[in-house]
Amino acid sequence: MTGVMGIQQVEDVTLVRHAYVRTDSQNRGIGGRLLSHLRKLAHGPVLIGTWADAVWAIRFYEKHGFHVVDPEQKKRLLMRYWNVPDRQVQASVVLADPTWQDAM
């Protein structure tokens, strides 16, 4: 297995829950193809939560059309769609696909 991604429908959005590509298989388009496939399966806007320090992940998602939401929206989204402790809320970012603003 070279890569895996998972999604979860929560209320009116789809969350990308896991996204991994083996280190020796990265930068070959595998992650982009997996993400593209999952977006076709999604119902409603797609949201992704990741660690703020994971700049490589943030860059990957931005390259594929996602944008980091502002800190106030981030907290509201994390509290609504994820079940994470306060410490994780502070250390995380949420990225949204372009349809998110239209739907919210």
Side-chain angles (χ1 to χ4, degrees):
M1 182 179 309
T2 57
V4 63
M5 283 190 187
I7 55 174
Q8 178 184 10
Q9 186 69 36
V10 178
E11 298 179 28
D12 56 342
V13 302
T14 300
L15 306 178
V16 173
R17 296 299 302 214
H18 302 282
Y20 307 100
V21 174
R22 289 174 56 118
T23 303
D24 60 354
S25 297
Q26 292 176 357
N27 299 311
R28 296 183 185 171
I30 295 166
R33 288 192 302 274
L34 285 169
L35 184 59
S36 177
H37 177 70
L38 292 182
R39 290 173 92 172
K40 292 174 188 168
L41 300 175
H43 298 285
V46 177
L47 300 175
I48 302 162
T50 192
W51 298 105
D53 289 344
V55 291
W56 65 93
I58 295 166
R59 274 192 245 128
F60 168 80
Y61 292 118
E62 288 176 333
K63 176 181 166 184
H64 291 280
F66 288 81
H67 67 275
V68 176
V69 302
D70 70 54
E72 184 178 308
Q73 292 172 323
K74 171 196 80 166
K75 184 173 181 177
R76 183 177 58 82
L77 292 169
L78 286 170
M79 301 308 285
R80 179 172 178 181
Y81 297 114
W82 284 269
N83 182 18
V84 295
D86 288 339
R87 183 199 161 294
Q88 191 170 343
V89 170
Q90 296 169 6
S92 297
V93 296
V94 171
L95 295 104
D97 74 15
T99 66
W100 175 75
Q101 282 297 34
D102 298 334
M104 300 299 175

